[in-house]
Amino acid sequence: MADKAEKTLEDLFHDMLKDVYFAERQILKALPKMSKGAQSPELKAAFEKHRNETEGQVERLQRVFEIFGKRAQGKTCPAIEGILEEGADILDEFKDSAALDAGLVSAAQAVEHYEIARYGTLKRWAETLGMAEAARLLGQTLDEESKTDKALTGLANSFANEKAKAA
Ligand SMILES: [Fe+2]
Ligand SMILES: [Fe+2]
């Protein structure tokens, strides 16, 4: 690691890559719990689908580490720990209620927005650093996160929010 005064975009890129690598692996562990907890088959399926995508996203990050010439390594990300903790709270506190699925959608969207922020930045930094293949891989994941976010909005609008309203 470079001296603080000598740090560059390469160091920022490396730090954020480690941050998001940690985050994706935490998300990989959280998604089965959210799928198991969700009440509707549609939301369960959405979480299951995204768990499979997330496995591929972890592999893409490993490729990006390789392209960058560093070993794949995570760095504790307090932001994702907090976001996932809030999701776990909803699972616990709204268990068996009609509002659970709406709450789980909201928790999952917080995760997706975090990821969209990270991958958007990483993709632009990879482009600036002249790593076209890394930028392409990061862009693929960015698209998956955006599609997941939109699918979650669709589930909230189609049933989850209405179901959650007091009868
Ligand atoms: Fe992801
Ligand atoms: Fe995601």
Side-chain angles (χ1 to χ4, degrees), residues 24 27 50 54 57 115 119 141 145:
E24 288 289 15
I27 293 164
H50 199 47
T54 300
Q57 294 175 353
E115 293 181 297
Y119 281 106
T141 298
E145 311 296 20

Side-chain angles (χ1 to χ4, degrees), residues 10 20 36 46 63 68 126 154 157:
E10 280 84 349
V20 80
K36 191 162 173 271
R63 273 290 297 139
F68 192 54
N157 289 338

Side-chain angles (χ1 to χ4, degrees), residues 149-167:
D149 180 48
K150 288 193 183 75
L152 288 165
T153 297
L155 292 177
N157 289 338
S158 67
F159 74 90
N161 289 350
E162 274 303 320
K163 184 183 139 203
K165 264 166 58 175

